[in-house]
Amino acid sequence: MKITSLLGALAMGALAAQPALATNVKVTPLGGQDGEFCVLDRALIFEDPNGTRLLYDPGRTVAGADDPRLGKIDVILVSHMHGDHVGDKHTQAPNAGACNKPDMSVSAAPNTLVVNIALAKNAKIVTGSEMPAFFANKLKSNGGDPKNAVLARFGGSQTIGGVTIATVTAIHSNGIDGDLVGGDFGTRLKEAGLSAYVGEATGYVLKFSNGLVAYLSGDTGITGDQEKVVRDHYKAKLAVINIGDTFTTGPAEAAYVINDLVQPVSVIVSHANEPATEGGKVKAGTRTESFIKATKVPVHVPLSGKTMEFDGGGGCVLGC
């Protein structure tokens, strides 16, 4: 009996000494200024409990493919081809410039920051509409694997590294600037004041290995699909919603989407097009403050470099 008890105690001690398995999805913003939510902030990294890492809309605040904040990237998600999402240019280093006037001195044209990161990280670019063909050609022309441009069109999904990725409706324009097209055709587009159309813009629904379902709105207005597809079919519990107004939903419209249509457990505010915080606190009179006041569920502000953790039910359990 004594030997049995001793063995049991040793076994329990060994189990206790092992690190606990991760059970939460980590969300880390990569914005313009550490600890702030700034005018051009778009980029978010989602890390599944199994270690799969997805970069959403790197935009202009990721300081190139060698930005030390990136780490391992398995998948890049692009809602649409506008420069402030795909990365036509970007900051030269984290914290360069100011929250209201970031440094955007490095051009990524005609590759885009998305392509440069995918090449450096051997990451897959998962997009909808006609965007995969564009990215495949860019990867191939730069010595990368065109098969890393992966299609997830409306109604279907792709599962990569244990994370299921589906695209959903986003009502927004989706043209590629001539500088990103490159060559004579790109020059002619620019001279004509036109862009190359690559199909509908997209939002995303992600299902993680801990059961969390997250809705990434992309740039969009109000759509019926936010209720019928995102809430009723996918049952999203965490939402990332754009509130920048003029080009996308404003704070009042975004609050309606959250309160009445998607009805998630919690929401991360995004794309505010303003220096929303100072000293890590939301500034009075901002769109971000208006959205927080109008929204019935907890609103989490994506302060650059500050990781938030969400459980399978959509609740923030750490870092919020």
Side-chain angles (χ1 to χ4, degrees):
M1 291 295 291
K2 290 182 180 179
I3 293 174
T4 302
S5 299
L6 178 60
L7 289 174
L10 289 171
M12 291 298 291
L15 287 172
Q18 293 178 357
L21 294 176
T23 58
N24 301 322
V25 172
K26 297 179 180 179
V27 183
T28 305
L30 301 186
Q33 298 288 316
D34 288 347
E36 305 289 1
F37 179 35
C38 296
V39 64
L40 286 178
D41 289 7
R42 312 281 188 264
L44 297 171
I45 291 179
F46 291 82
E47 183 174 334
D48 189 90
N50 68 21
T52 299
R53 287 165 60 85
L54 303 93
L55 172 62
Y56 170 55
D57 277 355
R60 295 169 174 161
T61 59
V62 175
D66 58 353
D67 188 321
R69 302 175 299 172
L70 282 172
K72 178 176 76 82
I73 298 295
D74 301 292
V75 176
I76 305 172
L77 306 173
V78 183
S79 62
H80 64 292
M81 296 300 303
H82 291 169
D84 62 323
H85 290 257
V86 77
D88 56 346
K89 54 188 176 181
H90 59 81
T91 184
Q92 60 180 333
N95 301 310
C99 196
N100 65 337
K101 194 176 181 180
D103 166 64
M104 298 289 114
S105 59
V106 182
S107 174
N111 282 355
T112 74
L113 180 56
V114 166
V115 170
N116 289 339
I117 294 172
L119 290 167
K121 305 293 184 179
N122 194 30
K124 297 187 183 301
I125 305 171
V126 180
T127 51
S129 297
E130 310 306 318
M131 291 183 280
F134 174 81
F135 285 121
N137 285 335
K138 289 292 186 184
L139 291 172
K140 183 178 180 180
S141 67
N142 285 277
D145 186 353
K147 293 181 181 179
N148 278 343
V150 179
L151 172 67
R153 193 160 283 165
F154 300 131
S157 63
Q158 295 281 354
T159 300
I160 300 174
V163 180
T164 301
I165 305 164
T167 55
V168 294
T169 303
I171 303 300
H172 193 67
S173 59
N174 192 24
I176 305 174
D177 185 88
D179 287 340
L180 301 182
V181 173
D184 291 340
F185 181 52
T187 299
R188 292 179 182 181
L189 282 171
K190 198 169 183 67
E191 289 174 348
L194 298 174
S195 58
Y197 179 66
V198 285
E200 301 293 331
T202 60
Y204 290 90
V205 172
L206 310 178
K207 185 172 183 180
F208 295 95
S209 65
N210 70 340
L212 175 66
V213 178
Y215 166 53
L216 317 181
S217 73
D219 279 11
T220 187
I222 300 169
T223 77
D225 285 358
Q226 289 165 328
E227 177 183 5
K228 292 300 181 183
V229 179
V230 176
R231 186 183 87 195
D232 292 350
H233 178 68
Y234 289 112
K235 297 177 173 54
K237 300 302 181 186
L238 170 66
V240 177
I241 188 76
N242 296 12
I243 67 162
D245 217 349
T246 304
F247 305 107
T248 177
T249 45
E253 291 82 359
Y256 170 74
V257 169
I258 296 302
N259 294 337
D260 293 82
L261 302 182
V262 179
Q263 297 181 359
V265 171
S266 56
V267 58
I268 299 172
V269 65
S270 182
H271 197 311
N273 289 347
E274 63 182 358
T277 64
E278 185 173 355
K281 304 296 183 182
V282 174
K283 295 164 66 175
T286 58
R287 283 186 286 271
T288 302
E289 183 192 53
S290 296
F291 175 73
I292 292 170
K293 288 181 176 179
T295 304
K296 298 176 183 177
V297 303
V299 177
H300 305 296
V301 178
L303 302 178
S304 182
K306 184 176 180 181
T307 298
M308 300 171 279
E309 296 192 21
F310 294 85
D311 62 22
C316 187
V317 295
L318 193 66
C320 296

